[in-house]
Amino acid sequence: MLPFGLLLLSVVAAADLPGSAAPPLRGPRLGSSAPVPAAPPPPSAPPLLLLPQSREEYGAPGVASARSAAEEPAGPGQEEEGGQHHHGGGYRVVQWEWSYVQTPYIIAIWLLVASVAKILFHFSQRFTTVVPESCMLILLGLVLGGVVLIASKKQLYQLEPALFFLFLLPTIVGDAGYFMPARLFFDNLGAILTYAVVGTLWNAFCTGFCLYAAKLLGVIDERVQADLMDFLLFGALISAVDPVAVLAVFEEVHVNDMLFIIVFGESLLNDAVTVPPSSSSVVHRGDSGGFGVCCHPGLHHSRFTKKVRIIEPLFVFLLVYLAYLTAELFSLSAILSMTFCGIGANKYVEANISQKSRTTVKYTMKTLASIAETIIFIFLGISAVDKSKWAWDTGLVSCTLIFIFVFRAAGVIGQTWVLNRFRLVPLDRIDQVVMSYGGLRGAVAFALVVLLDGEQVKAKDYFVATTIVVVFFTVMFQFPPFSLHQLFDLTNLSDFVSEVNRVLIWKFNLQSDLVQVRFLSDVTLSAVAAMPAGKREGLTIKPLVKWLKVPRSTSRKPTINEEIHERAFDHILTAVEDIAGLQGYHHWRDKWEQFDKNYLSKLLLRKSVYRKSELWEAYQKINIRDAISVIDQGGNVLTSARLSLPSMASRASFPEVTNVTNYLRENGSGVCLDLQVIDNVPGAKVEEDTETHHVLAENLYKPRRRYQSHYSRHFMPLGEKERQDREVFQRNMKSRMETFKSTRHKRHKKERSLKKRRGSDVKEDGSDKPRRNVSWQDKNPVVVPVESEEDKGEHSDPEKEEDVGITFIARKTETPKQRPKSVPAALDGSQSPSADPPSPPSGDSHLPWKGSVGSPPPCVSVEATKIIPVDLQQAWNQSISSLESISSPPAPTEPVHPRGSFCFPEKKKEEEEEEEEAALQEIQPLMSTLRPPRGPAARRPPPPPPGSGPAPSGRRRNPCVYLRSLVMAPPPGSGEPHSRGPTQ
Amino acid sequence: MGASQARTEHKYQDLADKTGLKKKRALTSICFMIMDFLLPHCSRENLDSIPALANNPIRKQIVEAFFDKRNQHQDEVGSFEEIGFEQFLMVMSHFRPPTLKTTEEEKEAMRKEKLRFLFNMHDTDNDGTITLAEYRKVVEELLSKSGAIGQEAAKAIADAAMLEVASTNVPHMAPDDFYEGITFEHFEQILKGLEMESRMHIRFLDVDTTTMHCGKSFS
């Protein structure tokens, strides 16, 4: 009731709205009926001029505006105070344009009602666990239909077959096909086909013949004028299991996957077997032949949508829908064609489109499908109210109900018996019960029966009535109609049954074999089911499923180990079949996969996509997932450092990830191959600070930066979430690589380092894809250099590594390239304040947090490579180029000291106070100026004395800055720009 | 002579029992005897040269599994140089499907057996654990046919998988611990989610002449 009240309310509100909004709207505007809001005219514009303009403007969009413009003169009474506007009568601000908006308005209202109904039903968790949504919707439909009928004496809204088949059904089937677990479907294809074809035919013929027999016997009233053919036709209609109902109910029930796919697959495929009622009574609808045709051109297209991401989702929908329509066009089985197209689209299109489009497709499909489903059920209810459409005959109805159940059960049991001889995983009794119980009839049958030609099939009205009853009965009474636990407490029921079982077991002296007990339960169940209808109400599929402990499906995501072994299974089984010379299922599946990989995927997928295996994808996903969990747990997790590697000679423990570097420092060999090393030993405090910094930097998210507001119809801005994911991913990768690197450290000799480095470069390349979009302000660049540096310096002094994270940025950012720019700027004195700070105090170099905050993007210069030992150069170049692609151009205002400024601990003290003042300024220059020395020149062990670097000082206008720069300037020895590199 | 005949008969009956073909024991044992007599032994090269296997990324491991003594339901370690019908049958028996009649305990046993087979396949050096190196190798081979994915990726995946095993099985490791490798118990644990008994099996329905031919092709 509530929804209906809401509906009325909303109608009223909608009607009210224009009226209430009218006063403010008066003025030059045309009023609320204009489809396009008029732009507020410039006040100075002459009204006469404005009017024709706007008229023309509004004339185009639709009839209504034109009409309202034409009617303007008719309503002078509503004219507003603005005298300028009445030439010829003025405007009518509000007018009733119902006929114009009627259709979309009603549609929208219906959608609204459906959604509100859905929401309301889910308000009470407890309620929905007992009463399935579909029956509630039907009941709601009944009530709505009743109200409309009373109000207008005539049923206005019907479930029109055309509407159903062209719009509602495709959305549901498309959703189902697209998200169909293809592997499961094809694994069970044999069973599905059997049930769909043999089972449906069996049902159809048996029901038809038996109904005819019943008619001959006089059980069915004389008024039902139907011959054998009509009954057969009706039997075919009524025996098809309905995909909509099955989906609606089984998804709620969560039976196990196999059961679901069998029943659902059956419901999809038996559409091909049911009757096209418009043409007389041909029992076979065209087979699935055409479906392949529709898919392929479209699938291929999606390869090329990379540039126009925004229409990608549309492709999926159009493709699938076109497949449906095409099949309908040739009166083939549209459902079948759509299903297969959906499966194909899922495999090939989804791989091509972007992640976002995937999400869009997913949500849109689900939204459409659930709305369509809701509407179907409501309309079913509404249609049932209209008495003029059907005629009741008790005999026909009850006979049909009985026959349907009996033959369904018989068919399922018989086929299962045959199938179980062939199936790998036999279907046990429980499954059979659920399957026969799950033979739901639904809207498809109803729509088909409404489509029957009343001239040819005289008993159409009776058939309609019967179909409605059958649909209601299967959907509602096979599911809990009313709150179950009041009538029939579930626990009591099972207690009762187990009691019965115990008695039976005792009586027949049976062993308590599980199968037998289950069988007994079945017996009991059927006994309960045979109870009079009043008591039976409680027995429904949901509790039934629970009670029988039908294995429920689990929604758990597979772990990566499971993925690995899943794939391993396939290969093992194929191999064993091959060895045994058996051309079994796995053999053919493998053949198909080869074909798919070699031809189809190449044809249909983007290059970058088809090379990646699913395993890799799974790995990516899992990686991100557990990176998130790492963060959740505060970063204290197991890392690969703790896996024992056989090749690691002397293993020591790394209590904490962050301590790895400390450990390395302590145990590091005296040989230091890294040219950038500075031999100063940081004080305890500094070290501690560094530690803290690391912890903070690794465990905190970066502060949110300014938001780029930016609108484009064609591109969507990078989501916050995505950025976060990326960050998480990077962090995870980083910690992993760090630990691995640390292990490698010990293992590898110097000569192998080059090779390894290359390997790690590759890895880095692989992993830096997500980083690529990072804006230059992001801290991410910090991460990047660290990794590359680390890779590079694998064999370098361990001590170096600790600082790497902090330092390296600086080195990269300070580029000789920049110098030319910055120097003139400095001379002009036009530097921005942030640019002012001269070479940063040496202390900063040791205090990592200072350095890394707001560090500018690494700007890599070609010259930088010069310092690198020859053998490393290539790798270095690679990593640089990857970095370059990441980083945006350096800020021009940044004054970078050509002579790298060196920071030494001693200086730091002096600078401290100044730093406070110039905190803001420091940030960027700090980073850029500090670089670890590279090349032989950089190797000088002690930091140069303060004041050794005169060069930069000249530029500073700010006195204190000037002073500082004097103090701080690097020693002359460090004059070459590229050799500069004090570690921070 | 009678005694020896009885012994051989016993042997084949045993074989029939072990491979789970209890139903028509007498018949199968006779069949086995004949087969064993007819079929020549085959070596690794024979199996390797089966053309259908050429595309299988983990071919080596599977072929190795056929020659692994651990898969013979006896407590032997090592590997055969060549296997006869008996050994072949033993290995194949790991893939038998469950029937409606198998009880839960039997299913559990079968599951264990299958897992053990898998585990042995990965645990190449037979030290009771799958070490990181071994696991990496598995993943590498698994990915070896899928094109561009390099060794690094395979390694990363294996590492991630290993980490996952470690974190699920030993959630609270002392700081000094290392995860040595996957033991069989852990292996069981991580594959709990997979329906082994329903998945890792092959239905030998049309075991007819093709199988015979294949047997001959070993030689």
Side-chain angles (χ1 to χ4, degrees), chain A residues 681-691:
Chain A
V681 178
K685 175 155 188 301
V686 174
E687 202 175 324
E688 197 176 279
D689 286 345
T690 316
E691 201 82 81

Side-chain angles (χ1 to χ4, degrees), chain A residues 197-231:
Chain A
V197 178
V198 180
T200 310
L201 286 180
W202 154 268
N203 278 353
F205 281 108
C206 287
T207 314
F209 280 121
C210 288
L211 282 178
Y212 186 61
K215 169 114 165 61
L216 291 184
L217 288 176
V219 182
I220 297 174
D221 199 275
E222 282 298 318
R223 286 168 299 159
V224 183
Q225 302 171 334
D227 55 7
L228 178 60
M229 216 52 207
D230 291 339
F231 278 123

Side-chain angles (χ1 to χ4, degrees), chain A residues 503-577:
Chain A
V503 173
L504 286 175
I505 289 167
W506 172 77
K507 188 156 188 184
F508 297 109
N509 198 14
L510 296 170
Q511 309 150 337
S512 60
D513 183 297
L514 193 77
V515 178
Q516 280 158 331
V517 167
R518 278 186 166 187
F519 174 60
L520 286 174
S521 311
D522 291 359
V523 173
T524 329
L525 176 76
S526 37
V528 176
M531 279 194 271
K535 290 192 184 172
R536 229 200 102 183
E537 276 175 345
L539 243 206
T540 63
I541 226 176
K542 211 187 252 181
L544 183 73
V545 164
K546 262 193 220 153
W547 172 55
L548 291 178
K549 299 193 185 63
V550 174
R552 308 293 278 287
S553 69
T554 49
S555 56
R556 199 174 50 92
K557 291 262 189 316
T559 63
I560 193 158
N561 277 295
E562 285 171 354
E563 293 269 348
I564 290 174
H565 286 101
E566 194 91 23
R567 290 175 67 86
F569 279 169
D570 288 348
H571 291 305
I572 291 171
L573 292 182
T574 317
V576 172
E577 276 192 1

Side-chain angles (χ1 to χ4, degrees), chain A residues 176-197:
Chain A
Y178 192 74
F179 294 105
M180 167 106 70
R183 174 85 196 263
L184 208 58
F185 180 77
F186 286 112
D187 278 358
N188 290 301
L189 192 61
I192 292 173
L193 275 178
T194 315
Y195 286 118
V197 178

Side-chain angles (χ1 to χ4, degrees), chain A residues 269-328:
Chain A
L269 297 192
N270 67 15
D271 172 70
V273 189
T274 49
V275 190
S278 45
S279 64
S280 52
S281 37
V282 186
V283 176
H284 268 278
R285 223 165 166 183
D287 274 331
S288 51
F291 65 82
V293 188
C294 338
C295 320
H296 278 251
L299 293 179
H300 203 78
H301 272 221
S302 65
R303 250 181 96 169
F304 308 109
T305 55
K306 192 179 180 182
K307 292 272 154 53
V308 205
R309 287 261 183 238
I310 215 75
I311 63 162
E312 273 174 357
L314 201 60
F315 256 100
V316 180
F317 297 122
L318 289 183
L319 209 67
V320 177
Y321 191 49
L322 275 182
Y324 184 89
L325 290 183
T326 315
E328 197 74 24

